[in-house]
Amino acid sequence: MVTAVSDETHLELLLSRLARLKLLSQAVDRGDRGQLVALLDEVEKIKRELVRGREQVGSEMARATTRTTAITAYARGAGAPVRRH
């Protein structure tokens, strides 16, 4: 599992890559197809990494929800009065 610190660092790296790409895009010769394709490729790579990160967060949220539900059910069951016939 990835720690929160490394997740933050990874996000910061992605944001700095985006900032670098923004600067590069301003300096690109609009007629240079090779440079434009390279920029688009980098943007797609970053997009895929962000989507992957979003999916990981969604998965972690689902697990946390399941755990919370289980703990709540256990706590209710543990606190329920014992029925005697």
Side-chain angles (χ1 to χ4, degrees):
M1 179 179 271
V2 181
T3 63
V5 173
S6 65
D7 284 346
E8 273 184 35
T9 302
H10 187 66
L11 181 59
E12 288 174 14
L13 289 172
L14 289 174
L15 291 175
S16 67
R17 281 172 58 190
L18 281 173
R20 181 180 57 84
L21 286 174
K22 182 179 176 184
L23 290 175
L24 285 173
S25 71
Q26 293 170 353
V28 163
D29 176 16
R30 303 288 182 211
D32 189 343
R33 181 173 167 78
Q35 285 183 333
L36 292 173
V37 169
L39 284 172
L40 287 172
D41 186 48
E42 276 296 309
V43 169
E44 283 299 316
K45 286 179 187 176
I46 293 170
K47 178 182 169 185
R48 283 191 300 269
E49 288 183 49
L50 289 171
V51 167
R52 193 175 316 123
R54 183 188 68 202
E55 290 168 353
Q56 287 176 338
V57 168
S59 176
E60 289 175 19
M61 291 293 293
R63 280 196 304 275
T65 299
T66 301
R67 286 186 195 125
T68 301
T69 302
I71 290 168
T72 301
Y74 176 78
R76 285 183 183 155
V82 177
R83 294 185 185 176
R84 297 179 189 234
H85 296 285

